[in-house]
Amino acid sequence: MLLAIDTSIGTSVAVVDRDRGVLAERATSDTRSHAEVIGAYIDECLGEAQVAASALSAVAIGMGPGPFTGLRVGIAAANAFAFGIGRPVVRVVSHDAVAFAELRAGRRDPVLVVSDARRREVYWSTYAAPDSEGLPKRVQGPALTRPDGLEDAVTRLDEYRRVDASEVSAGALGMLAETMHPHGREFAASEPLYLRSPDVTLAKAPKRVTG
Amino acid sequence: MTEAAPLVLGIETSCDETGVGVVRGTRLLANVIASSMEQHARYGGVVPEVAARAHLEALTPTLTTALDEAGVTLDELDAIAVTSGPGLSGALMVGVGAAKALAVATGKPLYAVNHLVGHVGADVLSTGDDGGAEVEYPTIALLVSGGHTSLLLVRDLISDVELLGETIDDAAGEAFDKVARLLGLPYPGGPQIDAAAASGDPTAIRFPRGLSLPKDMAEHRYDFSFSGLKTAVARWVEQRQDAGEPVPVADVAASFREAVADVLVTKAIAACNDLGVPRLLLGGGVVANARVRALAEQRADAAGIALRIPPLSLCTDNGAMIAALGAQLVAGGRPPSGLGFAADSTLPVTDIQA
């Protein structure tokens, strides 16, 4: 059983079990309340699923792509929860969960997953038809571009059905992690997928105050 | 000190220090800090996004080290405390998100506390085995750092803190950083100015004391302003440079530092006298400044005011002070904050617990 968290867009939390599926899920597409709701969502999911924190085997976390602040709240929470129960975190690319949700809904055609990166940019990833285990197969991405830059960035754009993700389901993300694990699939790296450098400019010489 | 004193873990991420502390009542058990200061040096100031990224990386290792140093396990904790504001939003949210998840994972009650009141709370901590330091209230508290310059009247640590005044523009620490840059000194500016000032004459240049004129004192008696001072230093330096004369860095540093220390201490002592409170507590990173400390000691002594300055490791941002305030709240019978609170970058000092 896993606790699953994704805050790459809104906030989504779930408790999932490989055999029994999604036992509880809480979500909001609000992109400004991550730190506010995360604790209660975790608590409510455990309560509804009637699962003790100590019964979980790991915490699955969506590593983005996602804008800075919100993404970080989920990763911080996942790390801390995992630390608290002495279990590992398993990291998943958030777009993979969107593609997996499409597969779980019976739509098996190649998809282009697009999500809002703010500042007039989008995050995108492409997925081929699923592999033999029914897992999404990422072809390109995740990457960052202007919305009108997709044509140049995506190889054979017209072969993909576009899925604009307005949320990432932690239930799907958790079930993906549950499925990846027995098949020995590689999880994401520990670096959050911000895909963007901090906004900073190097210190310049101070400006003159006299004319 | 009894073993019944609450064992509390505190998490602080309001600026550029990831701090985790563990206290038992008023006894300090661990105070571990991971700072991202070096990453900010080339930008000349704290970059919020850089600080927030560093918190995320540092938090779990800092938690591990703090529990190890304290020699306690998560199981043994009575509560968890976290800074919910004021501070940098993105930075605060890392600590808030982590603390909430840790509280649910461990089943421990969670206390969301005010960063500035935490600085006051640091004063209750004893680093020895003989139990807590006796802190008397009311006290005036002067908290000065790169992010804050606040004068507080603390009637009771967990129930009655009043903001007397604060900076209306730059924080004092920020002024040190900006003036250091003017003088070609690296970030952070405080220690650099302090070192350069050591051989300078503090009376060489009479820089302005912000909000100290009679008309300002009517409206802003306990408020501070350092923006005009910074501009005055810039103007003075530019005039020298324009005239092709060398800039006497030591004298400028000493005179600037004197102006900052003078206005900080003058207003703090005035608050003590006006309000009849013969106690003054200093906190915040600027307390590391030798002249601020020396001037406060000299004038407090002359005015018969008892001055308290916690060890520097408890003056700069840290998790132990958050744990200490949390432990006071627990001991005072306050209910936990629950899980619904937000990170509040402008949390008023009157909100001791969120």
Side-chain angles (χ1 to χ4, degrees):
Chain A
M1 253 180 316
L2 301 177
L3 172 71
I5 297 173
D6 190 282
T7 57
S8 64
I9 303 177
T11 302
S12 183
V13 176
V15 173
V16 302
D17 179 83
R18 189 179 307 160
D19 303 320
R20 293 184 292 155
V22 180
L23 304 182
E25 186 160 10
R26 288 282 182 285
T28 174
S29 54
D30 182 359
T31 57
R32 305 188 65 87
S33 62
H34 306 97
E36 238 171 296
V37 302
I38 188 93
Y41 280 9
I42 297 172
D43 199 38
E44 289 165 19
C45 283
L46 290 170
E48 187 181 310
Q50 294 185 296
V51 168
S54 57
L56 299 167
S57 54
V59 180
I61 175 66
M63 296 301 288
F68 306 154
T69 307
L71 177 62
R72 215 163 16 232
V73 170
I75 300 174
N79 289 345
F81 195 97
F83 178 76
I85 60 171
R87 297 275 191 268
V89 285
V90 290
R91 304 177 180 94
V92 177
V93 174
S94 299
H95 279 184
D96 289 6
V98 177
F100 188 62
E102 289 294 309
L103 295 177
R104 279 162 59 86
R107 297 185 286 271
R108 303 174 64 84
D109 49 337
V111 291
L112 163 69
V113 176
V114 178
S115 59
D116 184 9
R118 303 195 188 156
R119 302 183 202 173
R120 297 177 191 166
E121 289 189 302
V122 294
Y123 296 117
W124 65 274
S125 309
T126 54
Y127 296 85
D131 66 13
S132 52
E133 316 294 349
L135 288 165
K137 223 160 65 184
R138 187 157 17 93
V139 181
Q140 275 185 288
L144 181 71
T145 182
R146 290 196 327 278
D148 62 8
L150 281 170
E151 247 172 79
D152 291 334
V154 181
T155 312
R156 289 199 281 272
L157 178 65
D158 54 3
E159 290 178 15
Y160 292 101
R161 177 170 58 85
R162 176 169 167 153
V163 177
D164 283 287
S166 58
E167 54 191 348
V168 175
S169 155
L173 186 124
M175 288 309 292
L176 174 58
E178 287 277 29
T179 317
M180 285 166 74
H181 182 67
H183 296 297
R185 294 307 157 83
E186 201 179 326
F187 287 98
S190 61
E191 286 295 304
L193 298 166
Y194 303 118
L195 305 187
R196 199 184 258 152
S197 298
D199 292 321
V200 278
T201 45
L202 285 177
K204 291 186 215 104
K207 277 190 205 126
R208 281 186 64 92
V209 296
T210 40
Chain B
M1 179 65 35
T2 65
E3 284 303 290
L7 181 68
V8 179
L9 176 131
I11 298 174
E12 151 68 33
T13 65
S14 71
C15 190
D16 62 339
E17 327 268 11
T18 310
V20 179
V22 182
V23 308
R24 191 185 290 282
T26 57
R27 203 169 116 212
L28 177 67
L29 301 183
N31 180 21
V32 180
I33 293 162
S35 176
S36 60
M37 188 197 287
E38 279 179 22
Q39 295 180 53
H40 305 285
R42 64 201 185 106
Y43 305 113
V46 173
V47 180
E49 176 59 22
V50 172
R53 288 184 182 196
H55 284 308
L56 180 59
E57 272 178 43
L59 198 48
T60 308
T62 309
L63 278 166
T64 306
T65 310
L67 289 165
D68 281 357
E69 276 189 17
V72 301
T73 63
L74 283 172
D75 257 4
E76 297 172 70
L77 296 177
D78 293 304
I80 296 168
V82 64
T83 302
S84 66
L88 303 169
S89 288
L92 287 167
M93 283 185 209
V94 176
V96 167
K100 286 180 176 179
L102 188 60
V104 177
T106 55
K108 304 295 180 184
L110 178 61
Y111 289 78
V113 307
N114 187 299
H115 173 79
L116 286 173
V117 183
H119 274 297
V120 180
D123 193 38
V124 306
L125 287 175
S126 153
T127 50
D129 288 327
D130 55 343
E134 280 302 316
V135 182
E136 281 187 78
Y137 299 105
T139 184
I140 300 295
L142 174 66
L143 308 178
V144 196
S145 69
H148 306 281
T149 309
S150 306
L151 199 52
L152 313 181
L153 168 58
V154 184
R155 293 191 192 88
D156 184 275
L157 181 64
I158 63 167
S159 66
D160 191 351
V161 179
E162 183 185 334
L163 179 69
L164 297 174
E166 61 189 336
T167 181
I168 60 168
D169 42 56
D170 293 347
E174 221 176 333
F176 273 96
D177 292 338
K178 289 178 175 175
V179 167
R181 272 180 66 201
L182 284 172
L183 296 175
L185 301 170
Y187 172 89
Q192 297 287 336
I193 297 270
D194 223 16
S199 60
D201 174 5
T203 62
I205 310 150
R206 175 72 193 180
F207 287 127
R209 272 62 172 162
L211 299 183
S212 295
L213 297 173
K215 67 177 165 67
D216 293 325
M217 287 299 277
E219 218 179 311
H220 292 288
R221 188 166 182 80
Y222 304 124
D223 287 331
F224 302 92
S225 166
F226 297 102
S227 173
L229 169 60
K230 178 210 67 186
T231 307
V233 175
R235 186 170 290 130
W236 196 92
V237 169
E238 282 169 20
Q239 278 163 2
R240 274 298 177 106
Q241 288 167 336
D242 291 351
E245 293 168 35
V247 175
V249 170
D251 284 350
V252 175
S255 300
F256 161 74
R257 184 180 70 165
E258 192 64 17
V260 175
D262 183 23
V263 76
L264 287 173
V265 173
T266 298
K267 293 202 173 209
I269 299 279
C272 291
N273 289 334
D274 296 348
L275 301 165
V277 176
R279 283 172 289 274
L280 175 61
L281 166 69
L282 301 190
V286 174
V287 170
N289 191 284
R291 184 58 188 155
V292 172
R293 276 203 318 272
L295 199 60
E297 274 161 18
Q298 181 193 321
R299 294 207 191 147
D301 198 39
I305 292 164
L307 179 70
R308 299 182 64 102
I309 308 177
L312 187 59
S313 60
L314 293 172
C315 279
T316 50
D317 291 350
N318 66 87
M321 69 185 195
I322 300 307
L325 178 53
Q328 295 294 307
L329 290 165
V330 173
R334 296 305 165 87
S337 302
L339 296 168
F341 64 89
D344 183 348
S345 61
T346 60
L347 186 71
V349 77
T350 42
D351 292 359
I352 299 163
Q353 180 188 353

